[in-house]
Amino acid sequence: MSLFGDGLEAAVQKAFTRPAPKSAGAQMRYLVKQMKGTKAVAQMLRISQRTVERYVKDQIKKPRPDLAARLEREVKARWQPQIRARARQKAATTGGIVIDTRARMGYTAPIGSTDQDRIRHLTVALPPQYAARLFDAQAAGAGDQQLQEIAAEGLKEVYFQDGGRRAGSLEEVRFTDIEHLEFDL
């Protein structure tokens, strides 16, 4: 489970205009329609094709907990792709992204400054270019470490340097020991 990747997905899912299907039968019918057949859905969910058909006909109503989790994850990953793309595009061009985090932060700076790491709770609006970089890196399959570095750069520019108005000699921001992380568009 990826902290940054899941956080970005949750932020995009807040833009949905309709709720995703809740019942197992409705979720299965949606996946069958999206993937154009029960065989592909069965392979994706690692169950038999006959089991998929039973869910579609509502002969089985309550999936096992592990199957229910996989089913919900796959439906949400495919739900309202145009709304998802529009929300990402808006964040990357005009809106930016808000990061709410509680983590240990410190920085590398010249001698004589107080660069001691400490736990900080920040809610910071990052400019659109950082939202674009985060979404592009996520789409390219970047790991949590790369996404964390992009977020740290954004926090350095917006929070620590205040857009270039202070701390101009700041070299690097350390963003570690994340206790809480949430994104919003």
Side-chain angles (χ1 to χ4, degrees):
M1 189 176 275
S2 132
L3 186 64
F4 280 82
D6 291 347
L8 288 170
E9 273 306 308
V12 170
Q13 288 176 7
K14 290 177 187 173
F16 287 166
T17 57
R18 293 186 340 252
K22 297 269 189 264
S23 72
Q27 288 175 333
M28 202 63 81
R29 285 188 287 277
Y30 175 76
L31 286 176
V32 167
K33 185 177 178 184
Q34 289 295 307
M35 299 185 78
K36 297 177 178 34
T38 56
K39 189 173 185 178
V41 174
Q43 289 174 345
M44 177 186 62
L45 295 173
R46 298 184 308 272
I47 56 176
S48 72
Q49 186 174 354
R50 181 70 187 123
T51 303
V52 171
E53 293 165 1
R54 287 186 185 125
Y55 277 109
V56 168
K57 293 179 184 176
D58 280 330
Q59 292 174 341
I60 305 175
K61 295 186 188 288
K62 187 91 171 113
R64 300 181 317 265
D66 62 322
L67 176 59
R70 284 196 311 261
L71 191 57
E72 185 175 348
R73 186 180 64 241
E74 294 298 334
V75 167
K76 283 195 173 176
R78 290 169 175 73
W79 188 248
Q80 294 189 327
Q82 291 174 335
I83 303 267
R84 183 187 306 263
R86 201 174 310 129
R88 283 189 173 128
Q89 182 66 28
K90 182 180 175 199
T93 56
T94 57
I97 193 165
V98 176
I99 180 171
D100 178 43
T101 186
R102 179 169 165 78
R104 181 171 298 282
M105 288 185 226
Y107 48 87
T108 305
I111 297 173
S113 63
T114 58
D115 61 353
Q116 184 67 39
D117 290 4
R118 65 176 183 247
I119 298 286
R120 300 173 195 244
H121 184 188
L122 301 177
T123 302
V124 178
L126 298 180
Q129 66 262 26
Y130 287 102
R133 286 180 58 196
L134 283 167
F135 286 129
D136 290 345
Q138 183 189 27
D144 254 13
Q145 186 61 37
Q146 281 181 291
L147 295 172
Q148 187 173 344
E149 288 169 8
I150 294 169
E153 279 181 47
L155 290 172
K156 171 187 165 190
E157 181 185 317
V158 175
Y159 179 74
F160 289 103
Q161 292 183 325
D162 195 18
R165 287 190 282 276
R166 61 184 163 137
S169 59
L170 197 65
E171 297 167 15
E172 174 194 18
V173 171
R174 290 184 297 280
F175 182 35
T176 58
D177 300 340
I178 300 167
E179 295 176 6
H180 165 77
L181 178 73
E182 191 175 321
F183 292 99
D184 201 5
L185 303 179

